[in-house]
Amino acid sequence: MSAGTGDLISRIYGGFRGVDFRGEEINLSRSPDAVNMWKDYRETESIRTRPALKLVADFLPSDATVHSMYIHKLSRGSNAARMYVHYDSNALYVDIDDSGRFGTVHYFSEPVVNFANDGESHFFTFNDKVYLIASGQYFWHSQDVVELQKVEPYVPATTIGKKPAGGGTLHEDVNMLTPWRINTFLADGKSTEYFVDGALRSIDYVKVNGNVLRKSVDYTYSSDRVIFYEHSIPSVPATDGQDNVEIKFQSSSDGKWGNSANVILTAKRLTIFDNRVFVGGCSQCPNVLFHSSLNDPTYFSDQDYYEEGKDNAPIRGLVAGNNALWVFRHGASDNSNVFYHTPTIDEEYGKVYPSTHSNIGVGCAGRAINFNDDIVFFSDNGMEGVSGDITTEQAIAHRSSLVDRKMLFYWRQIQAFYDDMILMEWEGYLIAFIGTEAYLADSRAAFTNVDHMEYEWYYWKMPHFVTAAQVFGGVAYIMLDDKRIYTLDLSYATEKDELKEAREIQSHWVTPKDKFNAPHLLKTTNKRGCVVEATGDITVSAKVDGGAFEPIGTYEKVTDYFVSRIKRKKFKDIQLKFSSDTRFSLETATLESFIGGYIKR
């Protein structure tokens, strides 16, 4: 409804919903320029300065390069945990008690890896063990051991029931994590040569009737067989049909995937789904998805893989949701960027995960996550959500129109930070850390944009680059590039810690450009001033007609409301800015203006 000359318009700014970086003339409940503000749903409907960063740990060298941080729940205590950090070529862990206090730091004595190969560093928990995949290396740790342990891959019996000359029954697939395999034979009592099912590179052992024979004394070997000496020729088994010769050997055949262990252990994406470990994005075969055996992260069959698309567009996201595993690629030449795998029972192979090409063509440039049952990923255009029926009508709906302008501008300046963004769910928000910036999607505040749902967003600036983040027990642990670990302090304590800037947060909220429903008429503010419901120390500034913000006044220790005398005459539009160097909350601001005559051109 438009206003006319002589009208007194009362404008109440409240019911704040987040930022909108698309321009200044936006919905009055959003801000075109707000930093370090959010809505804390434990409190009133006001918006307030984000929680401060509370320093909780400082045990890393100042020049360390952090690859990953991971928090694992311990069996003792309701919130007792162990934090692991992989940095440089080393790793460490430190226990956290139920009250959040850090204990003694334990540095592993043996080096991990110095990232000579391509890949990333991944911690994950499986059957109460913590595993670390780090650029070609594979380790595990638990509460019962002191040092980081190298994973001993499962050694499969690839062929059983073999005759000395060959044949037999194919039993287990080759394990990509190890070149070792086992063949078992039915001895005939006379043959000296026993042929194995691969190119024989070395032998671990040869057993006959359960007894280990001596290399070079009882047998020798060539490129494809074990050769027994006359005195050690295996006898016919005592039990008819029961294999009595076992050979464990290392095969030099690398198969389709070359150095198979590196295919798994240099993967850039990893997730747990259906009690298996899924990995993808290795540089040797970036479009191929692999998975471990059921309940066994030490066994990756060379047959358990799925090629996602016909080109080498890399896998950038693995997300479990809607009873399926979603695979997101980036840059496919034919737009085959999104696939999904639904568990299926096959009569011959048991549980399998056939690959289905989604009709979504937009690819994932950053990361992907299941955000409160909303499968979302970050494309070249911002955050997208998968909607529609999982099997027939998948479609994407954009989720980040309100922040794309700023978020993508930052990415285009330093693309690597967008590609390697860190996603964290906390207090009902999905937080995307990109360098020193944080974008918060609010799961409890959504709106309909044309024909699809989008999130409300908030925007934060961090004092340093964020290198790792994880939520445990409702507490957000964040590692910054200063090599210190912080939590987001929901107590809003005011005491200072070592990093002064972590507590003294500069935050502000700017109202939209307001023309008071009369874009063609001049306005004058009511001399009674602007009534602001707020708390904290607040500075109020005003800007008219696209000029610069000019301070109106600073109001200290506000506990309920204050009145700010904003005296502005004959303006076309006005914006207010509420800011603080410590912290504040803002519930409503009421500004009245008289409508005057026409604007002269």
Side-chain angles (χ1 to χ4, degrees):
M1 180 178 178
S2 61
T5 300
D7 289 347
L8 175 63
I9 302 296
S10 180
R11 182 71 79 204
I12 300 177
Y13 305 102
F16 301 111
R17 296 180 61 83
V19 298
D20 186 345
F21 294 143
R22 293 176 295 181
E24 294 181 323
E25 297 186 43
I26 59 175
N27 188 293
L28 294 178
S29 63
R30 300 192 182 108
S31 173
D33 177 15
V35 178
N36 287 330
M37 300 293 291
W38 77 318
K39 182 176 289 187
D40 185 348
Y41 284 91
R42 302 173 312 155
E43 303 294 334
T44 63
E45 282 298 298
S46 64
I47 53 170
R48 64 192 310 180
T49 304
R50 69 162 172 82
L53 293 171
K54 180 181 179 181
L55 178 64
V56 293
D58 183 10
F59 44 68
L60 285 171
S62 60
D63 60 348
T65 298
V66 176
H67 306 303
S68 57
M69 178 185 79
Y70 181 72
I71 303 173
H72 165 69
K73 186 182 188 313
L74 297 177
S75 57
R76 57 179 184 270
S78 59
N79 279 317
R82 176 168 289 172
M83 175 181 287
Y84 292 85
V85 179
H86 177 206
Y87 68 99
D88 296 336
S89 59
N90 308 294
L92 59 83
Y93 75 86
V94 56
D95 286 347
I96 309 172
D97 65 20
D98 280 334
S99 61
R101 292 188 297 266
F102 281 66
T104 303
V105 180
H106 299 265
Y107 297 88
F108 294 118
S109 59
E110 296 296 325
V112 180
V113 66
N114 200 24
F115 275 76
N117 299 317
D118 188 24
E120 293 195 2
S121 176
H122 306 278
F123 283 102
F124 65 93
T125 297
F126 209 101
N127 292 334
D128 209 34
K129 285 184 178 179
V130 173
Y131 290 85
L132 169 61
I133 290 179
S135 193
Q137 303 291 318
Y138 198 8
F139 304 91
W140 67 271
H141 193 251
S142 72
Q143 297 182 53
D144 304 322
V145 299
V146 176
E147 292 295 329
L148 203 60
Q149 307 292 311
K150 284 193 173 182
V151 167
E152 295 294 334
Y154 174 76
V155 178
T158 52
T159 310
I160 61 175
K162 289 173 68 71
K163 295 180 179 180
T169 301
L170 297 178
H171 182 54
E172 295 178 315
D173 298 331
V174 169
N175 186 357
M176 295 178 67
L177 295 179
T178 177
W180 294 99
R181 63 179 76 175
I182 294 172
N183 284 182
T184 61
F185 297 79
L186 282 166
D188 59 10
K190 57 184 178 181
S191 297
T192 60
E193 295 185 345
Y194 280 62
F195 289 80
V196 296
D197 64 4
L200 200 159
R201 186 164 62 192
S202 63
I203 286 180
D204 183 38
Y205 64 76
V206 174
K207 293 181 182 180
V208 177
N209 296 318
N211 300 311
V212 178
L213 274 58
R214 297 164 295 175
K215 190 183 304 182
S216 301
V217 175
D218 298 321
Y219 67 90
T220 185
Y221 65 91
S222 65
S223 62
D224 61 353
R225 72 198 73 177
V226 171
I227 305 166
F228 293 94
Y229 296 131
E230 289 294 331
H231 70 274
S232 59
I233 293 176
S235 61
V236 174
T239 302
D240 188 39
Q242 179 175 304
D243 291 358
N244 66 329
V245 176
E246 181 177 325
I247 301 173
K248 181 181 177 182
F249 66 100
Q250 188 174 162
S251 174
S252 60
S253 175
D254 291 322
K256 179 176 181 178
W257 306 114
N259 188 337
S260 298
N262 275 345
V263 169
I264 304 300
L265 302 182
T266 61
K268 290 182 172 59
R269 297 294 185 264
L270 179 150
T271 196
I272 308 297
F273 175 67
D274 204 26
N275 294 320
R276 302 174 193 263
V277 181
F278 284 77
V279 299
C282 173
S283 59
Q284 299 178 48
C285 45
N287 66 315
V288 182
L289 178 72
F290 300 89
H291 68 73
S292 72
S293 293
L294 182 67
N295 295 318
D296 188 357
T298 73
Y299 185 16
F300 281 79
S301 164
D302 65 342
Q303 301 302 309
D304 289 339
Y305 69 89
Y306 306 91
E307 295 186 71
E308 314 287 53
K310 300 302 182 182
D311 57 15
N312 286 326
I315 292 173
R316 297 304 306 265
L318 298 175
V319 179
N322 297 329
N323 195 36
L325 179 68
W326 291 83
V327 180
F328 298 93
R329 301 198 303 156
H330 184 238
S333 58
D334 59 354
N335 291 326
S336 58
N337 284 307
V338 181
F339 295 79
Y340 61 92
H341 299 256
T342 305
T344 304
I345 300 298
D346 183 90
E347 292 184 0
E348 181 178 354
Y349 298 103
K351 182 74 74 69
V352 295
Y353 304 86
S355 178
T356 304
H357 175 207
S358 166
N359 53 22
I360 299 172
V362 176
C364 177
R367 300 272 178 169
I369 195 172
N370 185 335
F371 179 40
N372 286 347
D373 293 328
D374 187 14
I375 309 297
V376 299
F377 64 97
F378 285 80
S379 72
D380 291 331
N381 303 315
M383 192 170 88
E384 320 286 357
V386 178
S387 62
D389 182 81
I390 184 174
T391 58
T392 59
E393 299 176 355
Q394 311 99 338
I396 61 167
H398 203 62
R399 301 279 194 253
S400 60
S401 294
L402 301 181
V403 293
D404 288 339
R405 182 177 180 181
K406 189 175 189 67
M407 181 169 63
L408 297 179
F409 174 81
Y410 186 88
W411 162 53
R412 292 183 181 114
Q413 307 306 306
I414 313 175
Q415 181 171 347
F417 292 122
Y418 188 87
D419 293 351
D420 297 325
M421 65 174 58
I422 297 167
L423 301 182
M424 180 180 79
E425 289 187 68
W426 181 69
E427 292 290 309
Y429 290 91
L430 172 62
I431 307 179
F433 294 106
I434 308 174
T436 59
E437 300 192 328
Y439 296 85
L440 288 75
D442 188 351
S443 66
R444 288 154 299 200
F447 67 98
T448 300
N449 186 2
V450 186
D451 59 354
H452 65 277
M453 181 271 285
E454 296 210 29
Y455 293 112
E456 299 287 350
W457 291 78
Y458 294 88
Y459 170 75
W460 294 354
K461 284 287 290 184
M462 311 303 286
H464 295 277
F465 287 89
V466 176
T467 57
Q470 186 180 342
V471 173
F472 178 80
V475 178
Y477 293 87
I478 299 174
M479 181 175 287
L480 300 184
D481 200 34
D482 63 355
K483 312 306 184 293
R484 294 171 169 179
I485 299 170
Y486 303 84
T487 58
L488 287 170
D489 185 10
L490 284 172
S491 71
Y492 297 95
T494 57
E495 71 273 10
K496 304 294 186 291
D497 58 29
E498 290 183 45
L499 187 61
K500 186 177 181 182
E501 61 183 314
R503 288 227 173 260
E504 295 187 346
I505 305 169
Q506 293 184 339
S507 59
H508 66 254
W509 180 273
V510 175
T511 61
K513 182 180 291 186
D514 196 346
K515 299 178 180 179
F516 286 82
N517 303 333
H520 58 299
L521 299 176
L522 295 172
K523 301 92 187 171
T524 298
T525 58
N526 190 338
K527 63 181 180 180
R528 289 189 299 178
C530 178
V531 180
V532 182
E533 292 183 277
T535 61
D537 299 336
I538 306 169
T539 296
V540 180
S541 305
K543 177 173 72 172
V544 296
D545 300 342
F549 277 106
E550 298 178 356
I552 303 299
T554 297
Y555 309 87
E556 297 180 347
K557 299 180 180 179
V558 178
T559 59
D560 187 6
Y561 74 95
F562 65 91
V563 178
S564 181
R565 304 297 180 183
I566 300 175
K567 300 177 182 179
R568 294 295 183 270
K569 298 180 179 180
K570 297 182 179 181
F571 60 85
K572 294 182 295 183
D573 54 71
I574 189 170
Q575 289 181 272
L576 305 180
K577 182 178 182 179
F578 304 92
S579 60
S580 178
D581 289 335
T582 53
R583 66 183 182 89
F584 76 101
S585 67
L586 177 65
E587 187 169 350
T588 64
T590 303
L591 179 66
E592 293 182 335
S593 289
F594 292 96
I595 308 302
Y598 285 96
I599 297 171
K600 295 181 179 179
R601 292 186 175 275

